[in-house]
Amino acid sequence: MPPGHRALVTAPFRGEGLDTLQQLADVVLDPWIDQTPLRIYDGPRLAERAQKEGADIIVVESDFVSGPVFDLPLVAIGSCRGDPNNVDVAGATKAGIPVLRAPGRNADGVAELAIALLFTATRGVLPADQDVRSDLVFRDDTIPYRRYRAWQLAGRTAGLVGLGAVGRALRWRLEGLGMQVLAYDPYANDAGEPLDRVLDESDVISLHAAVTPETHGMIGAAQFDAMKDGVVFLNTARAQLHDMDALVACLRSGKVSAAGLDHFVGERLDPEHPLTSMPNVVLTPHIGGATFDTEANHSRLIADDLCRLVEGERPLHIVNPEVLK
Ligand SMILES: NC(=O)c1ccc[n+]([C@@H]2O[C@H](COP(=O)([O-])OP(=O)(O)OC[C@H]3O[C@@H](n4cnc5c(N)ncnc54)[C@H](O)[C@@H]3O)[C@@H](O)[C@H]2O)c1
């Protein structure tokens, strides 16, 4: 890259990737997530900021890249996401600007949260913790052992619906726990199980599919009904994949014995929602990918691809390769 390049980075950016980027360009690092209140630029405000900074590289995570941004003389736009849906890719392509993305950046983080939800839900960790804090260990004339007896995971079967970056990162972790893993993903070569079999034979069902017209609502009343009695249900992918009313009904009937959810429609839950009073349910607010490693991973992926781009190589994760000369 010729000297004098400047990168405006509004994503959190750290580790090796930041070092690499600093060797390529002067870096103005101003992560959106560090602002209080949160700041998310729209196209015009991002263009104004980039122009003010004299930036010819823009790296974003949540800011919207559109309209006047494409009038700037940009070398590249990096979107620190697997799915760069905050970038008007058609607009960038028309302007001849390469768009880079960061697939799989948070796969390990989400897989680890899925494991955390699984144990927390199946072993009653939250109510048991509450018993200790409230000095109610020997409540109801019982001992905790009796109230919290559960089935172990080793020796049981987990079914993954969707075997992309997160599904794969979870599969080996579950196998490491001694579980047999079945996977359904019509677009993955090594996930050949039919959905019916996965639903029928799994003690734990965990969703990891992308939301598409085909997967929207794919786990409804009929699919819950096809699951084993007492199945454990996890969704660390997106709320749109399952029917919430059907899940609540199955938790009430005992068809689903426990659940762990990292997503809700609108990313929040009404405090009066039935799930909030169920002790066998663990609820987290879309924190699957919330690790420092996610940030280090996307920094490395984007910075390494910027290096490839300026050295005349094809970036590994370019969204619009047609702009390469
Ligand atoms: N909780 C979080 O913080 C968090 C973070 C990252 C990703 N996610 C979500 O996790 C899910 C997986 O993310 P990823 O990074 O592994 O994405 P990915 O693109 O690597 O994998 C998605 C998988 O879904 C599969 N798929 C598509 N249609 C399907 C269908 N009809 N049935 C079954 N599988 C189907 C695809 O073939 C692909 O393998 C996505 O929904 C994503 O939005 C959540």
Side-chain angles (χ1 to χ4, degrees):
M1 180 175 290
H5 284 261
R6 270 171 79 79
L8 171 62
V9 180
T10 61
F13 220 74
R14 63 175 64 240
E16 260 174 54
L18 179 56
D19 297 343
T20 305
L21 186 60
Q22 282 169 332
Q23 284 165 20
L24 276 180
D26 290 336
V27 177
V28 178
L29 179 57
D30 185 20
W32 72 283
I33 204 163
D34 292 347
Q35 317 298 317
T36 311
L38 285 180
R39 178 205 67 205
I40 299 182
Y41 288 138
D42 59 12
R45 284 165 66 222
L46 180 64
E48 193 183 320
R49 177 74 192 274
Q51 193 160 31
K52 184 173 149 234
E53 302 293 353
D56 57 2
I57 295 172
I58 295 179
V59 179
V60 296
E61 186 182 43
S62 286
D63 299 295
F64 291 96
V65 186
S66 62
V69 176
F70 305 131
D71 297 334
L72 301 173
L74 296 180
V75 172
I77 294 163
S79 175
C80 296
R81 298 168 164 223
D83 176 5
N85 57 16
N86 56 329
V87 179
D88 170 8
V89 175
T93 305
K94 204 166 159 205
I97 303 168
V99 178
L100 310 173
R101 68 184 188 106
R105 64 178 179 137
N106 42 24
D108 286 321
V110 181
E112 288 187 358
L113 186 79
I115 296 286
L117 295 180
L118 178 56
F119 279 120
T120 308
T122 58
R123 300 301 301 272
V125 171
L126 294 179
D129 172 277
Q130 202 51 50
D131 285 354
V132 176
R133 287 170 197 258
S134 318
D135 194 16
L136 289 172
V137 168
F138 298 105
R139 65 180 159 82
D140 305 330
D141 288 329
T142 64
I143 60 168
Y145 182 101
R146 179 167 144 192
R147 298 193 303 273
Y148 293 108
R149 265 175 303 183
W151 296 107
Q152 66 183 33
L153 297 175
R156 300 212 147 67
T157 300
L160 305 181
V161 179
L163 195 70
V166 176
R168 284 171 208 286
L170 183 58
R171 178 166 62 179
W172 64 259
R173 288 173 166 86
L174 294 169
E175 287 170 349
L177 293 173
M179 300 191 81
Q180 186 197 347
V181 180
L182 305 175
Y184 166 73
D185 186 328
Y187 306 101
N189 295 334
D190 52 344
E193 308 299 342
L195 182 59
D196 290 356
R197 178 173 173 222
V198 173
L199 298 179
D200 183 51
E201 295 187 16
S202 300
D203 301 290
V204 175
I205 298 278
S206 192
L207 305 190
H208 302 287
V211 177
T212 67
E214 193 187 12
T215 62
H216 198 281
M218 72 183 290
I219 304 297
Q223 288 70 30
F224 279 115
D225 196 45
M227 293 179 196
K228 273 190 175 180
D229 289 344
V231 69
V232 176
F233 180 76
L234 303 175
N235 187 348
T236 54
R238 284 292 182 268
Q240 288 75 9
L241 297 176
H242 75 256
D243 179 331
M244 183 64 112
D245 293 340
L247 174 61
V248 168
C250 288
L251 281 160
R252 282 188 169 133
S253 72
K255 174 80 184 177
V256 174
S257 63
L261 306 175
D262 192 38
H263 292 277
F264 313 96
V265 172
E267 301 293 6
R268 57 173 295 280
L269 200 58
D270 188 314
E272 302 300 317
H273 193 281
L275 286 182
T276 62
S277 56
M278 294 184 181
N280 50 343
V281 172
V282 186
L283 310 167
T284 52
H286 193 162
I287 57 168
T291 68
F292 297 113
D293 305 84
T294 292
E295 297 172 11
N297 291 339
H298 72 216
S299 303
R300 197 185 57 254
L301 288 163
I302 294 289
D304 286 355
D305 256 359
L306 283 168
C307 288
R308 290 188 185 95
L309 186 69
V310 300
E311 281 162 17
E313 290 172 34
R314 185 189 166 107
L316 296 184
H317 308 297
I318 183 163
V319 183
N320 52 353
E322 59 271 36
V323 301
L324 298 178
K325 307 248 161 28

